[in-house]
Amino acid sequence: MDSVLFHIFLSLSGIALMRYGALMLTKGATALSSKSNFSGVHIGLTIVALGTSIPEICVSTISVYKNAEELAFGTIIGSNTFNIVFGLGISAFIIKVRVLSKNIWRDTIFALGSGCLLFFLLNKKLFLNTEDNYLTPFDSFYLIGYLITYYIIIFASSKNKKEIYLIKKIPKGLIHHHYVARDIIVGLLIIGAGAYISVIEALLLSEYTSLSARFIGVSIMAICTSLPEIITTISVMRRKRQDIAFGNIMGSYIINYLVASSILTIKGPIHYDYTLNYDLTFSVLACLLCAMLSLSSRYLKLTKVTSMFLLSLGILYYITTYLRG
């Protein structure tokens, strides 16, 4: 019992580190967005998203080298699901989300496309009539090519007038910061350290149970590695930068599916368990919901009603996942 409590304490310490790192990253990202020609969504989709996706990339890569493919894919898929249903759900419950990017529909559609592309590449037995499902190094070229195309498109646009107006309304104390690079770099390092501690302790705690690698990946590991995204999103929301927050969620979704999945093929073709299709499909459908919300008006609007709906979907998903074992 004392050992379990000790591991829980270390896990909470890792979460505390991630929260502190997220606050530093938020300061740097907000300052960078306000001082540069890049919009908040640009910053969220790149620097912030890549930084908060580091835990998923590290955990998945380590899992592959330990021949735990189910754990690797489960972590990536589960993390994306958790980010959308709970990241956006909790954020919208705390504050009304109204993203001011004129191209928010484009970002959600690209995120949806990344999930669909990965689903196609992973299910070769279903679509291409092969003997088994696997992801090859050649497939990673499709994934990275999709990512490069997306980044070329998003950086072709700049801030819109309403976003500039929003930035001017932020108190100067929130954006007047001279150590942008320091905050971003140190914040990323602290997030990585905190995530590593939380993940290792989650693995040690899982040894006391008889749960499957798939379930551990889509639940325990996914939740632990998603904490940087969730904490960063809430921190940015409190700084009145919903654009960076949403960009972080969508950017992490895209990076996890395109970059993290590509890195998994370093050792060669990696086997994919088709039972994860349920989790991958749910993740894609959750992203489709965000796409529908963003296409329904000029802006993405998330109210408390939408928040409760997302949170209910998340709870239902984890209940069904637990029942599946």
Side-chain angles (χ1 to χ4, degrees):
M1 176 60 100
D2 292 338
S3 178
V4 173
L5 292 175
F6 178 70
H7 289 310
I8 292 175
F9 172 76
L10 287 180
S11 296
L12 294 176
S13 299
I15 294 173
L17 276 176
M18 284 190 286
R19 181 183 181 279
Y20 182 73
L23 290 174
M24 290 196 69
L25 180 61
T26 298
K27 283 184 180 180
T30 303
L32 181 61
S33 175
S34 63
K35 294 179 180 181
S36 68
N37 191 46
F38 299 128
S39 71
V41 176
H42 287 159
I43 302 301
L45 286 166
T46 53
I47 297 175
V48 180
L50 181 59
T52 54
S53 292
I54 288 176
E56 288 91 337
I57 294 174
C58 294
V59 171
S60 300
T61 304
I62 293 172
S63 299
V64 168
Y65 276 95
K66 290 187 176 182
N67 298 317
E69 290 86 356
E70 281 188 69
L71 185 63
F73 281 118
T75 300
I76 293 173
I77 296 170
S79 177
N80 276 354
T81 302
F82 190 85
N83 286 341
I84 290 183
V85 295
F86 285 101
L88 289 179
I90 294 174
S91 300
F93 187 79
I94 295 175
I95 183 173
K96 185 178 180 180
V97 179
R98 186 171 184 265
V99 183
L100 299 180
S101 174
K102 60 182 178 181
N103 293 318
I104 197 64
W105 60 269
R106 176 203 59 202
D107 304 317
T108 53
I109 292 297
F110 262 93
L112 180 63
S114 68
C116 293
L117 176 61
L118 183 63
F119 185 90
F120 173 78
L121 294 175
L122 289 176
N123 287 276
K124 291 181 174 63
K125 189 174 182 178
L126 175 64
F127 295 108
L128 302 178
N129 200 28
T130 59
E131 294 182 359
D132 204 356
N133 292 321
Y134 49 85
L135 189 69
T136 67
F138 186 76
D139 293 333
S140 65
F141 285 100
Y142 291 109
L143 297 174
I144 297 301
Y146 185 89
L147 179 68
I148 292 174
T149 301
Y150 173 58
Y151 276 167
I152 290 175
I153 293 174
I154 66 170
F155 279 103
S157 61
S158 58
K159 296 177 182 176
N160 57 46
K161 293 181 179 179
K162 290 196 173 183
E163 185 177 2
I164 295 173
Y165 173 74
L166 174 68
I167 292 174
K168 290 181 178 179
K169 289 181 64 179
I170 301 176
K172 292 184 178 180
L174 290 180
I175 62 175
H176 184 66
H177 201 78
H178 300 291
Y179 304 101
V180 177
R182 184 203 66 181
D183 280 352
I184 291 176
I185 295 172
V186 175
L188 292 177
L189 291 175
I190 293 176
I191 287 174
Y196 179 80
I197 293 173
S198 297
V199 167
I200 293 300
E201 295 307 316
L203 279 175
L204 292 174
L205 286 172
S206 69
E207 293 180 359
Y208 292 95
T209 67
S210 57
L211 298 174
S212 66
R214 182 196 62 81
F215 178 79
I216 293 174
V218 299
S219 58
I220 299 175
M221 299 298 290
I223 292 173
C224 287
T225 55
S226 291
L227 291 176
E229 284 96 335
I230 304 300
I231 296 171
T232 301
T233 298
I234 295 175
S235 299
V236 174
M237 286 288 187
R238 292 189 178 278
R239 298 177 72 86
K240 309 300 182 183
R241 292 308 303 271
Q242 293 97 325
D243 48 350
I244 295 180
F246 184 78
N248 174 41
I249 295 293
M250 288 296 107
S252 295
Y253 189 98
I254 293 171
I255 289 174
N256 285 343
Y257 277 158
L258 301 181
V259 179
S261 298
S262 298
I263 292 176
L264 297 184
T265 63
I266 290 178
K267 283 182 63 179
I270 177 175
H271 177 263
Y272 172 75
D273 186 354
Y274 73 94
T275 59
L276 283 164
N277 278 345
Y278 171 82
D279 308 284
L280 182 54
T281 301
F282 190 93
S283 175
V284 172
L285 290 177
C287 186
L288 176 61
L289 174 61
C290 288
M292 293 173 63
L293 290 172
S294 64
L295 288 170
S296 62
S297 63
R298 284 187 66 186
Y299 310 107
L300 176 80
K301 297 179 181 179
L302 296 179
T303 62
K304 287 191 176 181
V305 175
T306 312
S307 168
M308 296 302 296
F309 180 68
L310 287 172
L311 293 174
S312 298
L313 278 180
I315 294 172
L316 176 63
Y317 166 71
Y318 280 107
I319 289 176
T320 56
T321 299
Y322 177 77
L323 294 176
R324 291 173 63 225

